[in-house]
Amino acid sequence: MDATRQRFLMCRPTYFAVDYAINPWMDPTAPVDADLAIRQWEQLRRTYLDLGHEVELVEPVAGLPDMVFAANGGTVIDGKAMAVQFRDPQRADEAPAYRAWFEAAGFEMYDPKHVNEGEGDVLLVGDHLLAGTGFRTAHASHAQLQEVFGYPVITMQLVDPRFYHLDTALTVLDERTVAYLPEAFSPGSRAVLRRLFPDAIHATMADAEVLGLNAVSDGRHVVLPAQATDLAAKLRDRGYETIGIDLSELRKAGGGPKCCTLRLRQGKASK
Ligand code: ARG
């Protein structure tokens, strides 16, 4: 199995907090250790650097506690960047901050016409885009994604509010392999997933409940929440090398490793 060098965008959780609740994981009355959140995030960044990946950083903005979840900052494929439009007003101001970063980095910019939460709901597998809807990204934005990027878009209907973004219910392991939680999808979407990926790994509810599917693969190494032990064992059986990361504090906002990581595909510097 070959690892592909990745170029990622991340945002330090300098202003991270759980001040509001826009998904079932968030409880503003529960304690969050902000310093530990930063150390855990640093560990994630360090892991990517040790694997030989490139990590770009966008400046965090005070008053935007969820900005650490860079996956929601855009969708970047073939040097084109589509900016985002958040469902919730609490996150709205993150969109221009990320957009400005993409523009300065030289990506060809596209603006969303509908709610679109970026790579949280849009995952490239081989030459197809899987696009989630049901909670955040609007179904209408899937047509725009297809028009902008020119990849066939396959709609995935999410049905469990705990798995509100596609990247909490499904992870892309390589160009033809995914792992997912079947229960997070509508019957029709499950049938589509079975048809497209007969060899997919099925995660258990226990794995999904620790955000185990919020994983980042380079085709060989899979970085995933340390608590997702069953999923890690299944991945190792298939020949992947797993690296467990503890992001306990960010999970209190409903995010894991993938949420903190946006893939920059073929900007000027690398692929
Ligand atoms: N608190 C954030 C929200 O609800 C978490 C975002 C997680 N990001 C992701 N790509 N799943 O929007």
Side-chain angles (χ1 to χ4, degrees):
M1 283 184 165
D2 292 329
T4 307
R5 185 165 190 252
Q6 307 285 323
R7 184 176 176 219
F8 293 135
L9 179 64
M10 298 180 73
C11 180
R12 192 181 304 279
T14 312
Y15 305 107
F16 176 68
V18 180
D19 295 339
Y20 50 78
I22 56 172
N23 70 52
W25 302 81
M26 301 176 89
D27 174 3
T29 66
V32 173
D33 185 335
D35 293 330
L36 180 57
I38 294 176
R39 291 199 300 278
Q40 292 177 331
W41 178 91
E42 284 292 354
Q43 175 74 32
L44 178 64
R45 175 168 167 266
R46 175 55 35 216
T47 300
Y48 292 145
L49 295 174
D50 290 346
L51 288 170
H53 303 316
E54 199 181 337
V55 178
E56 306 269 7
L57 295 175
V58 56
E59 198 57 41
V61 176
L64 298 177
D66 274 336
M67 193 171 167
V68 58
F69 300 117
N72 300 126
T75 302
V76 184
I77 302 168
D78 299 338
K80 299 176 185 174
M82 187 158 145
V84 294
Q85 183 180 315
F86 285 94
R87 182 195 67 177
D88 299 289
Q90 293 95 332
R91 297 197 67 185
D93 291 345
E94 295 178 40
Y98 277 99
R99 192 191 190 289
W101 190 91
F102 298 131
E103 193 146 53
F107 290 98
E108 193 182 323
M109 289 308 305
Y110 295 85
D111 287 309
K113 295 193 202 131
H114 309 277
V115 171
N116 182 311
E117 299 201 356
E119 226 192 9
D121 273 323
V122 185
L123 298 174
L124 183 68
V125 199
D127 53 11
H128 287 81
L129 278 175
L130 300 182
T133 190
F135 297 102
R136 301 294 182 90
T137 297
H139 185 218
S141 77
H142 295 183
Q144 190 188 0
L145 285 163
Q146 179 162 294
E147 213 46 49
V148 166
F149 294 109
Y151 288 82
V153 172
I154 298 164
T155 291
M156 291 285 123
Q157 198 73 46
L158 296 163
V159 297
D160 183 329
R162 287 170 302 170
F163 310 113
Y164 55 94
H165 277 140
L166 182 61
D167 71 357
T168 64
L170 182 146
T171 188
V172 178
L173 297 164
D174 59 41
E175 302 230 316
R176 44 191 170 273
T177 318
V178 300
Y180 63 94
L181 175 75
E183 299 93 305
F185 295 92
S186 69
S189 297
R190 269 188 233 182
V192 170
L193 287 170
R194 279 197 302 271
R195 199 181 291 281
L196 288 177
F197 307 107
D199 299 327
I201 295 173
H202 289 188
T204 60
M205 187 55 88
D207 289 324
E209 280 176 339
V210 291
L211 287 177
L213 288 162
N214 200 247
V216 177
S217 173
D218 64 13
R220 173 173 185 175
H221 310 97
V222 183
V223 177
L224 80 170
Q227 294 81 0
T229 49
D230 288 351
L231 181 59
K234 285 181 189 166
L235 290 168
R236 287 192 296 270
D237 281 348
R238 295 283 190 102
Y240 297 97
E241 285 178 42
T242 60
I243 300 158
I245 295 278
D246 186 9
L247 290 184
S248 64
E249 300 313 289
L250 296 173
R251 193 164 71 228
K252 294 173 183 171
K258 177 65 192 74
C259 299
C260 297
T261 313
L262 178 68
R263 254 177 239 264
L264 300 170
R265 297 182 185 88
Q266 283 161 5
K268 41 187 181 171
S270 59
K271 74 169 281 177

